[in-house]
Amino acid sequence: MQTIGHWLDGKPFTGSSAATAPVTNPATGVVTGQVALASAEDVRTVIDAAVAAFPAWRDASLARRTQVLFRFRELLNERKEELAALITAEHGKVIADAIGEVTRGLEVVEFACGIPHLLKGGYTENASTKVDIFSVRQALGPVAIISPFNFPAMVPMWFFPVALAAGNTVVLKPSEKDPSPSLWLAELWQEAGLPDGVFNVVQGDKTAVDELLTNPAIKAVSFVGSTPIAKYVYEHATAAGKRVQALGGAKNHMVVLPDADLDLAADAAVNAGFGSAGERCMAISALVAVGDIADDLVSRITQRAKTIRTGDGTRGADMGPLVTRAHRDKVADYIQAGESAGATVVLDGRAIDADGAADGFWLGPTVLDHVTPDMTVYTDEIFGPVLSVVRVDSYDEAMALINANPYGNGTALFTNDGGAARRFHNEVEVGMVGINVPIPVPMAYYSFGGWKNSLFGDSHAHGTDGVHFFTRTKAVTTRWLDPSHGGLNLGFPQNH
Ligand code: NAD
């Protein structure tokens, strides 16, 4: 059985801690490796490498830094199937979806290749007589990225291409459930010519996270995960004086108005509800049917959901297993709770006959109708293949429901009415909005992030927010010697 360790200074690092956690193939239930869980001392050793590598990388020319990024982009594009296979083996998502994940990460690498343009500052000549001002954006230093299990490659890639391009060094702490993709990416950076110590990986749990949140050498923390941990990370790392962006959980509503194309809406609800077995922070988990279309819509969704092939992601299935047995059972318990609370189980995934090993963590697509806002299937983030249908009478009721929700990651409206669409994207208190688009993930040159309990901090990921997060601005005011500017003046300079 393999041991999955850390990556330090351009090579594997075992660390001093004997603690490990099992890594499982969710499609077979077989434990395939043991991931090292770093001690605080191990984390400090890794941080030391990032500290030592920082000055030279910060001072490397933009031409040099972008050459490494372009090379990394080429290598990743050529070998993305290898990375996708690693993702599927530890996460369970189907191969096509894993390739999609890598591709979305690649887009951020491509965005970061334009860093020379993104770092350009401003220049003002003669702000006062013969006084000029210019501004620059400078790297912060070593930064930490702490990522969740559901996108072991894409979520780290929301951050590290921009962080590195801007001249920072990185310590990545991946999820202990699927740790291998991070090491593969670390090796690829080395192959791309990134100097040793600039990109490092530390595997671990709360012990590792706590050291990253409090160690003074770490200047910024980018976190993605569940809301309680995002809040914890935000509070502790900001208390330690760091810059923090902490992206949390979600409960994404898709509203279907009576004038919508119901076939399009049904396709979208199924794709967005069951893609990656619902283990996406942008998955649609609450379908809000407005008016008398509900019966028809639920029937179209159920017909489609029944055709989804659940099974081993390496065998051409549409939907893979859930990440762990415990998580699979937790989601099944939510279905039971919904049923007990009075929801109608229109499609039940609990007894699915999956195309895969008997011990895989299977749960098929599930549709719950007549869900009400007081049920736990509605209030909680389930993070599984469960679509809850909430019936409302009006647009206003749908909007009130979304805006009362503590999460605000993504939402979508299905309609053919431009006025309704405009009103929706104007009024809704959610960070990412789709109109006839169920999963409105912004492209790399925009920024990704939710509102309310879906994000703590004020910077979203990638795009210009990402560049600003990983740099700090310096404004320089200059005056070169001129005989006319001699003499004492204790006041503010006059603008003439
Ligand atoms: P998680 O919160 O359990 O773990 C995320 C990271 O935090 C992991 O690296 C984990 O090791 C670490 N961690 C876990 N418990 C900790 C603790 N007590 N103290 C310190 N660190 C701890 O999340 P997950 O289950 O891996 O991922 C799923 C969650 O992530 C969902 O809630 C999902 O919505 C969210 N997510 C959000 C976004 C977004 O963009 N908002 C994107 C992807 C996932």
Side-chain angles (χ1 to χ4, degrees):
M1 187 176 307
Q2 58 166 338
T3 301
I4 302 154
H6 321 289
W7 185 266
L8 161 73
D9 236 350
K11 21 184 198 310
F13 170 59
T14 315
S16 61
S17 160
T20 59
V23 176
T24 313
N25 181 335
T28 60
V30 171
V31 174
T32 52
Q34 292 289 334
V35 61
L37 300 177
S39 62
E41 189 194 329
D42 293 336
V43 181
R44 285 193 287 274
T45 307
V46 175
I47 292 173
D48 286 348
V51 170
F54 175 62
W57 181 243
R58 175 196 58 201
D59 293 340
S61 70
L62 281 166
R64 163 104 180 89
R65 297 210 299 256
T66 47
Q67 276 159 12
V68 175
L69 278 159
F70 273 108
R71 180 87 184 112
F72 181 82
R73 189 262 167 212
E74 288 307 303
L75 289 169
L76 184 54
N77 195 39
E78 276 162 25
R79 294 172 47 189
K80 59 180 169 227
E81 279 83 9
E82 271 177 49
L83 179 57
L86 276 181
I87 295 169
T88 297
E90 292 182 355
H91 175 284
K93 65 179 71 175
V94 301
I95 289 283
D97 194 32
I99 290 177
E101 160 172 2
V102 178
T103 306
R104 294 311 301 257
L106 251 177
E107 289 167 8
V108 184
V109 181
E110 288 162 0
F111 167 74
C113 285
I115 198 72
H117 177 69
L118 296 161
L119 286 185
K120 280 194 294 194
Y123 193 97
T124 300
E125 196 176 41
N126 273 336
S128 187
T129 306
K130 294 189 178 166
V131 173
D132 306 329
I133 306 179
F134 63 92
S135 69
V136 290
R137 305 202 72 93
Q138 294 189 332
L140 307 176
V143 300
I145 299 168
I146 302 164
S147 56
F149 81 83
N150 67 322
F151 285 108
M154 183 188 77
V155 165
M157 279 196 275
W158 280 350
F159 305 107
F160 67 62
V162 180
L164 294 172
N168 302 283
T169 54
V170 167
V171 177
L172 168 63
K173 205 302 282 173
S175 166
E176 56 275 51
K177 296 192 178 90
D178 42 15
S180 296
S182 59
L183 295 176
W184 190 92
L185 287 163
E187 283 187 47
L188 206 71
W189 274 122
Q190 195 183 39
E191 208 176 320
L194 192 73
D196 292 349
V198 174
F199 181 82
N200 309 279
V201 178
V202 65
Q203 312 284 0
D205 55 12
K206 181 172 165 42
T207 304
V209 170
D210 285 346
E211 182 61 30
L212 291 170
L213 302 185
T214 50
N215 191 300
I218 295 291
K219 301 302 175 199
V221 177
S222 297
F223 172 90
V224 181
S226 58
T227 287
I229 311 298
K231 194 160 182 286
Y232 171 87
V233 164
Y234 184 76
E235 288 171 356
H236 285 77
T238 50
K242 301 183 200 313
R243 194 177 274 215
V244 187
Q245 49 182 181
L247 285 69
K251 191 79 189 179
N252 305 314
H253 297 65
M254 170 173 154
V255 178
V256 184
L257 293 186
D259 74 310
D261 178 326
L262 294 191
D263 282 323
L264 175 74
D267 285 344
V270 169
N271 294 339
F274 305 122
S276 199
E279 290 173 328
R280 288 179 181 149
C281 67
M282 288 293 276
I284 292 295
S285 50
L287 184 106
V288 186
V290 181
D292 59 9
I293 54 165
D295 286 342
D296 191 0
L297 183 60
V298 169
S299 147
R300 291 180 206 227
I301 287 173
T302 310
Q303 281 164 24
R304 285 165 169 78
K306 274 182 184 158
T307 66
I308 291 174
R309 289 163 303 137
T310 304
D312 191 319
T314 61
R315 293 195 204 168
D318 299 316
M319 195 179 97
L322 293 189
V323 69
T324 58
R325 173 153 310 281
H327 186 55
R328 184 254 166 233
D329 293 347
K330 188 174 163 200
V331 177
D333 288 347
Y334 270 114
I335 300 170
Q336 184 56 51
E339 191 174 15
S340 306
T344 313
V345 185
V346 186
L347 182 64
D348 192 340
R350 286 172 290 185
I352 190 79
D353 182 17
D355 175 17
D359 289 335
F361 309 142
W362 309 115
L363 192 67
T366 298
V367 179
L368 300 178
D369 197 0
H370 298 285
V371 169
T372 53
D374 54 318
M375 296 179 186
T376 54
V377 279
Y378 178 79
T379 54
D380 296 3
E381 179 184 39
I382 299 177
F383 226 53
V386 182
L387 189 63
S388 296
V389 181
V390 183
R391 296 171 176 233
V392 298
D393 292 329
S394 65
Y395 166 91
D396 287 334
E397 223 183 305
M399 178 59 67
L401 200 59
I402 301 174
N403 283 351
N405 198 279
Y407 296 107
N409 213 39
T411 189
L413 177 74
F414 278 70
T415 184
N416 283 312
D417 181 336
R422 189 177 184 284
R423 199 174 141 192
F424 184 81
H425 63 69
N426 177 259
E427 292 176 344
V428 79
E429 291 172 22
V430 170
M432 294 172 282
V433 182
I435 303 296
N436 297 318
V437 174
I439 302 200
V441 173
M443 296 298 290
Y445 41 89
Y446 283 87
S447 298
F448 183 106
W451 287 10
K452 301 196 278 188
N453 284 355
S454 295
L455 188 142
F456 301 91
D458 52 11
S459 297
H460 292 195
H462 58 69
T464 42
D465 266 25
V467 176
H468 288 188
F469 184 78
F470 286 119
T471 53
R472 49 185 174 176
T473 318
K474 186 180 277 177
V476 183
T477 305
T478 64
R479 179 171 65 187
W480 291 95
L481 280 184
D482 183 314
S484 70
H485 277 76
L488 290 174
N489 182 353
L490 301 191
F492 284 106
Q494 301 300 304
N495 284 330
H496 53 67

